[in-house]
Amino acid sequence: MKPRRRSLAGALLLLALAAVSRPAAAQAPAAGAGPADRELQLAAESGSVRALLQLATQRARAGDVRGAAAALRRALAIAPNSEEVLAAYAHTSLAMRDYGQAALALGPLLRMHPTVAEYPYLLGVAWMQLGDMTSAVTALQRAGELEPHRALTLAALGLAWNEEKRFDLAKGALDEALLLSPGDPDVLAALAEAEAGLGDATAAEQHADQALARAPKNANALLVIGLLRMRQQRYAEARQSLEGAVAVIPNSSRMQFQLSQACERLGDLPCAEQHRELYRKALREIEERLKALHLRSIGSEEAPP
């Protein structure tokens, strides 16, 4: 069950899920929970890691990602240093949007298998989702050293550098990603954000428009248009674009903050305060996630609990 290579298809804002499974699968209820529990118990009692891996695979194919994770946790208790089990658990955790557990599984994989590019790539994606862009960049740079010129890695690096406001580095990575995957709306939107950060409004608007022509609800492209309209003092248009971005990614601190600014410029103070509070809430959630991950990692260096 080695991690598989994948193309750049799918939303880069959900890179982790694009690399593993559909997000809805994590929410799918387990069909026949009683029999499934008995299967898990029998596989665990057999002491067979292979049987547990097979059960996890069956459950994942049936859309029961939580059931797959339960089987993999049993397998980890038996074989905590197994590459196959850790990789499967990391992928399953990403599919469940449990990025902390994914990071805890991927850390040992990197230490045990430092030449496999997929592991630092997935770790970088997990750190991005957790909100730690510095750690994300470190992991993604390592993935890029191991497997240069990979569109997914370059796009992820561009997104992380945009978050860090390193727009020059982001543009370099995203220019190459676009050459490798021409017309990808997520890469176009991320490149537009880097260009907007560098002050090239013409290129930024062109690439954002191209992204929206292919994906009208692309949140990053809507954010860029909102930023450009703010600079042009076209606040009503900025608010409309930013509301569209927030509707797609409501927990984005950047998007909530910019929308609060647009509302304030329009004199809508209740709207401005509402989105400032949502901005502060998003920042608190990032801090709490990282703190929880730190606590979970204590005493768990070899395998996730």
Side-chain angles (χ1 to χ4, degrees), residues 14-46:
L14 297 174
L15 278 166
L17 300 179
V20 288
S21 181
R22 292 169 299 152
Q27 306 300 325
D37 288 343
R38 286 193 292 274
E39 289 173 5
L40 177 58
Q41 189 62 35
L42 288 170
E45 288 174 357
S46 73

Side-chain angles (χ1 to χ4, degrees), residues 49-209:
V49 172
R50 179 59 49 194
L52 287 162
L53 281 169
Q54 290 173 348
L55 178 59
T57 300
Q58 292 168 4
R59 290 184 169 185
R61 286 174 179 167
D64 180 12
V65 184
R66 295 188 186 281
L72 290 168
R73 280 193 292 270
R74 294 291 189 98
L76 278 172
I78 300 168
N81 296 318
S82 164
E83 179 185 10
E84 191 172 12
V85 176
L86 282 166
Y89 188 71
H91 280 76
T92 303
S93 297
L94 288 170
M96 294 171 61
R97 302 179 186 239
D98 190 343
Y99 305 113
Q101 283 293 77
L104 289 174
L106 288 159
L109 281 169
L110 264 68
R111 292 193 293 272
M112 292 187 290
H113 306 281
T115 61
V116 179
E118 189 77 357
Y119 298 150
Y121 163 72
L122 290 175
L123 181 60
V125 169
W127 282 124
M128 285 175 66
Q129 298 292 342
L130 288 163
D132 185 342
M133 296 301 154
T134 301
S135 296
V137 165
T138 299
L140 291 166
Q141 285 178 316
R142 176 59 179 159
E145 291 167 1
L146 292 169
E147 191 176 345
H149 314 300
R150 185 187 182 206
L152 274 172
T153 303
L154 289 163
L157 262 174
L159 287 166
W161 271 321
N162 275 344
E163 291 274 1
E164 293 274 272
K165 300 189 184 304
R166 299 295 306 274
F167 299 118
D168 54 338
L169 295 174
K171 186 177 186 308
L174 291 162
D175 278 336
E176 185 175 355
L178 193 60
L179 287 173
L180 294 166
S181 185
D184 186 282
D186 299 295
V187 178
L188 284 164
L191 179 57
E193 184 178 356
E195 290 164 338
L198 292 169
D200 189 346
T202 301
E205 183 152 3
Q206 178 184 355
H207 285 131
D209 285 343

